[in-house]
Amino acid sequence: MKKTQTVAFANLIGSILFIILGIWAWIQTGKFEEVSNTYVQASSFPRIMIVGMLIFSIVLFVQSLLKLLSMKEGDKDALAAKAASINFVKDKSVLAGVVIILLCIGFVALFEILGYVICAALISVVIMYIIGKRNWLQMILVSVLVPLGMWLIFFKVLTVNIPMGPLQFLCDLVGKI
Amino acid sequence: MDFGLLFESYAAVWLNPQVILMTLLGACGGVLLGAIPGMTATMGVALLIPFSFGMDLIPSIGLLLGIYCGGMYGGSISAILIHAPGTPAAAATLMDGYPMCQKGQAGKALSVAMFSSFCGGVIGALVMTFLSPVVANMAMNFGPGEMFMLAIFGLSVIIAISGKSIAKGLISAFFGMLLCTVGLDPTNGIPRFITYKQTGLLDGFQFIPTLIGLFAVAEVIAGVERIVSGEEKQEKSNEKIKKVLPDLGTIKKIWPNILSGGLIGTFIGAIPGAGGDIAVFVSYGASKSASKHPELYGTGIPNGVAATESANNGCSGGAMIPLLSLGVPGDSVTAILLGAFIMKGITPGPMMYISELPTVYRVFAALMMANLAMLIVGCCGVRFFAKIVSVEKKLLYPIILIVSLLGAFSINKNVFDIGVCVAFGVIGWLMNKYEFPLSPILLALILGPMCEKNYVRFMNIQQGNFFAIFRSPIAVVFMAIAVAVIIYSIFNQRKINKRTAEAAE
């Protein structure tokens, strides 16, 4: 196994990302407006947190780097183990995870246009298909009835109005009952 | 303690049909969720919290406490039947529960687990009723400096819940604390990391969408990944259960384990950050050490099941002590409960015992009822719940996702919140994948605002002299406990890592 596939290497990358985030956040705090007659500025508390995050990111960076430098073939400790992959080109399971994220983004984008029930039905049918469900009757029943039931609970019991898109007529229909 | 008001509050809660119904529904949902491996009580409470918005405080707290108590017991069902604990707090139950199942005593194991869970829960609720007012009374003397140090003490337990790497746990915690600072500065109203045009973030990241994203959406993405890679297998149980309650002879044998487990669970649960997963192992160890036949532990004896199950349910009462008396959550579920209280306009803490005493007593009554509801639901449904472990995950994950996304929307009826939920789902998925623990973020999101608010107040009162904090004995005590917790946790984690490495070799 290559060193770049180990937990130690993943930790190294993770620590670098948090260091970058910390530096970016520190630069941002410099842009916060300052107020007179106060002992604590708006930037004070975030800066303490950034320093804490940077210190422990550097600790993780050094730990991981030292481990990578001293790592030998056959090491059995946790840092030498194989790290999880996020290569969605090579790994089908990661690709499935990425597709779920894209579906969620699509859900957010279409939520107000198509409404909750249609968006939720579509997203759940696609997810079931991706994870290998092939019983179409069960898939359609669950995908349609669960969002409808959820909407009904929120609409009638909790009096929360949820966008329904083209199915808006259901609100009037249920309202009349 | 005002016993008249306490009985009045108990009567108001126990005779309210809405509270009874919601608590029973919560217990039912909790047992169902807890029984499914991978679904925790935290996730159940996070998922169902949006359903409680339209309700009054006590029915909604009854619903959430029902899930909490039910989830704690539910975890033992799959631990006993299929050797897969439904929740981390049931991890120790399988040591004796599963061997009992293999010996053909699955029904007995489940009934002992249910009875012990109920007794442990009642012990926790009783201790909470009588101890939390004492703690709250002490906390009445707290000023901003003490409250700041209390928050630091709460945060110090992050190390204990950091898992294998303390550095990673602390990075998560500081990252969570940094997330709390996004939005308008609470003192001067200055925008931080945003502009006034980004109205969706002026109040910072909303707690519930963030929580649902980190715990539910991230779990769905990870679950889908596991199914596609073939790591997640469908569990099945064909066990037939004849008895729902243990017989008198068994109760006589296990009552010392129940009593000690309930008390251990309550006291460990009361330590912020230390939850049921720690309590069960401590209780199991204590029960084994005190036994005349320690060699029988692990071979399938009801005493082992009783010790662990009473401990994890005892935690529910214990974790409520710091929540109600200090405003500091005892574990991740009580952290969500704290969010539920705040959303209803009630801030838990010592002042609650003065301004909202009837509410406090009603919460006590609701917890007691949640334990009873768990017992009723358990007795009625234990045969059915045993089948829950066979629920098809391919149907379950999409349902969890669409319920989660709707839950995120329903708080402010804002699509932006669904976006926040999805974004935190991705962050949670990636952090879980690379073993950055999520619990410290949760604790930081809760304690961060309390920490900052009191820090700013203290610094302004003391004219910028931070070292004035050493003049307060209470603050110094909290500081000393925080340092002790940190040192103990570091040494403990090293010991755990060493043992894990030795076991691997």
Side-chain angles (χ1 to χ4, degrees), chain B residues 311-364:
Chain B
N312 63 28
N313 273 67
C315 274
S316 55
M320 295 293 283
I321 297 172
L323 172 73
L324 293 175
S325 55
L326 303 172
V328 175
D331 62 6
S332 48
V333 180
T334 42
I336 303 169
L337 284 176
L338 177 59
F341 274 109
I342 292 168
M343 273 182 288
K344 297 279 177 194
I346 293 167
T347 310
M351 282 309 289
M352 196 178 168
Y353 283 75
I354 292 176
S355 56
E356 300 280 351
L357 191 62
T359 308
V360 174
Y361 286 167
R362 284 175 188 188
V363 174
F364 293 165

Side-chain angles (χ1 to χ4, degrees), chain B residues 56 67 84 174 235 407 441:
Chain B
D56 290 334
I67 301 167
F174 281 110
E235 289 96 358
I441 300 185

Side-chain angles (χ1 to χ4, degrees), chain B residues 74-400:
Chain B
S76 68
I77 297 175
S78 49
I80 291 166
L81 295 177
I82 56 165
H83 201 244
T87 57
T93 306
L94 58 81
M95 290 196 279
D96 273 290
Y98 189 64
M100 279 181 81
C101 177
Q102 284 176 315
K103 285 195 239 170
Q105 299 174 351
K108 189 177 179 183
L110 283 172
S111 62
V112 167
M114 185 170 58
F115 183 73
S116 311
S117 296
F118 169 70
C119 294
V122 170
I123 293 170
L126 283 174
V127 174
M128 177 189 82
T129 304
F130 294 104
L131 196 66
S132 63
V134 180
V135 181
N137 201 23
M138 275 160 54
M140 284 308 293
N141 301 319
F142 290 6
E146 288 80 8
M147 290 306 285
F148 169 67
M149 268 304 153
L150 176 65
I152 296 292
F153 161 60
L155 289 168
S156 70
V157 295
I158 280 172
I159 294 174
I161 54 171
S162 289
K164 287 179 215 162
S165 168
I166 291 168
K168 280 182 174 178
L170 287 167
I171 292 171
S172 290
F174 281 110
F175 175 59
M177 296 281 277
L178 190 61
L179 288 176
C180 296
T181 65
V182 174
L184 291 182
D185 161 33
T187 319
N188 301 308
I190 292 162
R192 299 190 291 198
F193 303 108
I194 56 157
T195 61
Y196 283 113
K197 286 178 188 169
Q198 290 159 303
T199 49
L201 283 174
L202 285 179
D203 288 333
F205 292 110
Q206 293 293 313
F207 180 66
I208 299 300
T210 310
L211 175 87
I212 294 175
L214 282 174
F215 287 91
V217 176
E219 176 55 31
V220 170
I221 303 171
V224 165
E225 238 188 308
R226 287 196 299 268
I227 291 177
V228 173
S229 68
E231 280 173 45
E232 186 146 330
K233 284 172 190 150
Q234 192 62 50
E235 289 96 358
K236 276 192 178 168
S237 162
N238 300 315
E239 202 61 49
K240 281 188 180 168
I241 292 137
K242 289 169 193 159
K243 268 189 169 181
V244 290
L245 277 174
D247 52 67
L248 209 64
T250 311
I251 294 173
K252 270 184 190 171
K253 270 188 207 166
I254 61 173
W255 75 264
N257 308 97
I258 291 176
L259 192 65
S260 64
L263 288 172
I264 289 171
T266 306
F267 286 103
I268 290 183
I271 302 166
D277 41 355
I278 299 172
V280 287
F281 285 101
V282 175
S283 172
Y284 189 81
S287 170
K288 191 177 172 179
S289 311
S291 170
K292 284 177 189 167
H293 301 285
E295 72 283 358
L296 293 177
Y297 278 73
T299 60
I301 53 167
N303 305 65
V305 176
T308 55
E309 281 304 303
S310 56
N312 63 28
N313 273 67
C315 274
S316 55
M320 295 293 283
I321 297 172
L323 172 73
L324 293 175
S325 55
L326 303 172
V328 175
D331 62 6
S332 48
V333 180
T334 42
I336 303 169
L337 284 176
L338 177 59
F341 274 109
I342 292 168
M343 273 182 288
K344 297 279 177 194
I346 293 167
T347 310
M351 282 309 289
M352 196 178 168
Y353 283 75
I354 292 176
S355 56
E356 300 280 351
L357 191 62
T359 308
V360 174
Y361 286 167
R362 284 175 188 188
V363 174
F364 293 165
L367 182 63
M368 199 61 97
M369 181 186 272
N371 280 296
L372 186 68
M374 182 213 72
L375 185 72
I376 295 168
V377 167
C379 285
C380 298
V382 69
R383 291 184 183 90
F384 165 73
F385 292 141
K387 302 281 172 207
I388 292 302
V389 289
S390 315
V391 165
E392 200 177 351
K393 297 274 173 68
K394 287 175 184 174
L395 291 176
L396 195 67
Y397 282 128
I399 293 172
I400 292 175

